[in-house]
Amino acid sequence: RGPDSLGMVRKAREMNLECVMGNHEYKFLKWRKTFGTRQDVFDKKDFYSKFSHDDIDYIFKMPTYIKLDNNLVVVHAGLKPGISVSAQSKDDLMYLRYTDIHGKFISLKKIAKIGKEAAGAHFWTEFWTGPESVIYGHNVHSLDYPLIENVAPGVTCYGIDTGCCFGGHLSAMIIETKEIIQVKAKQEYFHQGFDI
């Protein structure tokens, strides 16, 4: 969701960066596997066919989570409570935003149709008690500031997606100090079709 997705993947690969797989990478891999014959890959991007074998291999090898130490994990989207990080489903790690009080996934389509309250939707961090603290993206809480929540004693969730592609900021966190570094987007690259 930016002006040069292909260049971003190549730069990350050249720098040998460890990246978690997110829903967009997963969608690309599903398209790549069937070249768009699957119905769940509904919006093939022009640059999909321009990835090299090395680019595709890099994306394919991205883990769905990264454990930085015993108490900190990086995921793209979310985690369900009461399930160890290693036992979380791939879909939840890449897509989860909302659950009901029983931990059942609630889609954004359902929320858009009947509303959060009627859907019984709660953001996943409401139920996460650790033991790991979590750095995640996927959900833009603000175009300006990351959402940092102390969700349980010694457990913090860091929502660092500040909507760079929507004209917000690109945010990063220095792990050792928890300092947030930001760069303002030059423009809106992708229209934001939701309210923050």
Side-chain angles (χ1 to χ4, degrees), residues 136-153:
Y136 68 96
H138 190 59
N139 193 76
V140 179
H141 298 285
S142 163
L143 294 176
D144 296 310
Y145 306 105
L147 178 64
I148 300 172
E149 302 173 283
N150 296 312
V151 296

Side-chain angles (χ1 to χ4, degrees), residues 47-172:
F47 60 83
Y48 277 9
S49 59
K50 297 178 183 173
F51 283 113
S52 70
H53 175 74
D54 289 338
D55 297 329
I56 295 165
D57 190 53
Y58 177 75
I59 295 169
F60 183 78
K61 290 179 179 175
M62 288 178 178
T64 53
Y65 67 91
I66 299 170
K67 265 201 155 185
L68 297 174
D69 60 37
N70 290 339
N71 296 316
L72 187 61
V73 65
V74 177
V75 300
H76 176 72
L79 298 165
K80 285 188 177 173
I83 301 172
S84 69
V85 175
S86 62
Q88 296 279 334
S89 80
K90 181 188 283 191
D91 283 349
D92 288 339
L93 292 166
M94 291 186 285
Y95 290 97
L96 184 67
R97 284 186 177 101
Y98 295 96
T99 72
D100 65 15
I101 60 171
H102 305 291
K104 183 179 176 191
F105 179 92
I106 297 179
S107 72
L108 287 179
K109 286 181 183 178
K110 183 174 184 177
I111 292 169
K113 185 176 182 179
I114 65 173
K116 278 174 60 173
E117 191 172 315
H122 298 268
F123 197 72
W124 70 269
T125 59
E126 288 184 46
F127 304 118
W128 183 254
T129 58
E132 298 90 353
S133 290
V134 184
I135 301 169
Y136 68 96
H138 190 59
N139 193 76
V140 179
H141 298 285
S142 163
L143 294 176
D144 296 310
Y145 306 105
L147 178 64
I148 300 172
E149 302 173 283
N150 296 312
V151 296
V155 179
T156 305
C157 290
Y158 304 89
I160 64 169
D161 188 339
T162 45
C164 182
C165 68
F166 304 123
H169 290 80
L170 179 62
S171 296

Side-chain angles (χ1 to χ4, degrees), residues 15-43:
M15 294 175 68
N16 198 29
L17 298 179
E18 187 176 14
C19 302
V20 292
M21 184 178 294
N23 56 310
H24 291 274
E25 292 82 13
Y26 188 53
K27 181 171 65 173
F28 163 72
L29 291 176
K30 287 193 291 187
W31 173 85
R32 178 80 175 99
K33 185 175 182 180
T34 65
F35 291 96
T37 60
R38 288 177 62 134
Q39 289 185 346
D40 58 347
V41 184
F42 55 87
D43 62 345

